[in-house]
Amino acid sequence: MNSMNRILAALAITLAAVSCGTAKQSAKYFTMDQMPDLVRSLPAPPAFGSPEFAYDSLRYFWGKEQRKDPVRAAIAERDAKWQLDTVFTTFNGAMGLELSPVNTPEIWKLLYDGVSTIEQIRVHPKAYYHRKRPFVYFNEQTLCPWEDDELRGEGSYPSGHTIRGWACALMLAEVAPEKAEDLYARGWMYGESRVIAGAHWQSDVDASRDAASIGYSKLQTSKEFRKQVAKARKEYLKLTK
């Protein structure tokens, strides 16, 4: 990477951190610089023209076929919403609880602080690779055209939505291990929704589950995080006994 490209990449990283609301001072458990660097720990996205990219293309058209199912399309549209409270309440059914700051304050705090920390992990690789999104590559709209303009200017690899969804599934499965299978299934579906929407390549989504898991492993080293897990678990048991 030449000097100009390094400068542009650094600028992009800074802008991405600000625009995504993940500036260092907002992290609960670790700053962005303290999180693992995905550029070093995960492979680069598939190159255009590679066999892996051919599979990505096939999955893009698979996703378009899934939109013909109105129920699945509606789920993908809901999963496209970026607000954290929307992400968290996606798991109400799998948890068997109505998650909210009022009903489940300790679980909510765990999710909010944990996801806010983990999602920082996406900023560097998005800016570094600045991968073109599938709907831009194919010159089409996504299932959710209201997000298209914003997405065009942001790198596709990895998927921030998928990182959030899989991170939620991991944390909630620790709080409610007896619900783990349902939580993982919903977290997996959350990532698939990004392929169905046409906002991400399949390889973006696949890497993002690994990214969330890497971030989650980092959280295990925080004493404050472990304390909050215990509080959330205690609250869950009280509500479900």
Side-chain angles (χ1 to χ4, degrees):
M1 182 182 288
N2 60 36
S3 297
M4 180 57 70
N5 285 340
R6 282 196 295 270
I7 293 171
L8 291 174
L11 177 60
I13 292 169
T14 301
L15 291 174
V18 173
S19 66
C20 296
T22 54
K24 295 177 185 178
Q25 63 269 25
S26 70
K28 173 60 180 177
Y29 299 112
F30 297 104
T31 68
M32 186 166 64
D33 287 347
Q34 291 172 324
M35 296 298 287
D37 184 356
L38 296 185
V39 173
R40 297 179 59 188
S41 56
L42 291 182
F48 291 115
S50 67
E52 293 80 9
F53 180 71
Y55 178 68
D56 268 348
S57 299
L58 288 174
R59 290 293 288 176
Y60 174 77
F61 291 106
W62 167 86
K64 291 183 68 176
E65 284 295 309
Q66 304 310 301
R67 300 178 201 175
K68 296 177 182 179
D69 178 349
V71 175
R72 188 63 184 91
I75 292 172
E77 287 185 29
R78 184 189 188 282
D79 289 349
K81 295 180 180 179
W82 184 244
Q83 295 84 353
L84 279 176
D85 58 348
T86 304
V87 182
F88 301 161
T89 56
T90 293
F91 291 89
N92 283 357
M95 277 290 284
L97 285 176
E98 182 182 345
L99 301 175
S100 76
V102 175
N103 295 333
T104 56
E106 299 297 351
I107 297 173
W108 196 268
K109 178 174 172 58
L110 174 71
L111 293 175
Y112 190 91
D113 294 341
V115 171
S116 296
T117 302
I118 291 174
E119 70 175 356
Q120 298 176 113
I121 209 168
R122 79 189 189 278
V123 175
H124 187 198
K126 274 185 176 290
Y128 185 86
Y129 295 114
H130 203 69
R131 189 184 193 191
K132 185 179 292 187
R133 290 179 181 266
F135 77 96
V136 177
Y137 179 83
F138 289 106
N139 194 27
E140 297 179 343
Q141 286 186 331
T142 67
L143 175 64
C144 311
W146 43 265
E147 66 172 351
D148 288 6
D149 287 344
E150 182 176 356
L151 295 182
R152 281 191 185 92
E154 186 187 54
S156 188
Y157 180 91
S159 162
H161 283 78
T162 305
I163 288 174
R164 283 181 163 191
W166 197 243
C168 285
L170 290 170
M171 280 184 274
L172 290 173
E174 187 165 5
V175 171
E178 63 272 32
K179 302 282 188 177
E181 289 84 359
D182 291 338
L183 291 163
Y184 293 143
R186 186 61 183 95
W188 192 275
M189 178 185 286
Y190 198 88
E192 278 194 336
S193 287
R194 302 309 287 158
V195 178
I196 292 171
H200 280 286
W201 303 102
Q202 182 67 54
S203 55
D204 299 337
V205 169
D206 293 343
S208 297
R209 296 188 185 107
D210 290 335
S213 299
I214 289 170
Y216 188 61
S217 295
K218 176 69 174 180
L219 288 193
Q220 302 303 317
T221 67
S222 166
K223 292 181 180 179
E224 290 303 312
F225 175 75
R226 296 307 315 160
K227 289 178 183 177
Q228 191 57 39
V229 170
K231 290 179 181 179
R233 173 67 176 164
K234 182 178 179 180
E235 179 179 77
Y236 172 77
L237 290 174
K238 182 179 179 180
L239 291 171
T240 56
K241 67 179 181 180

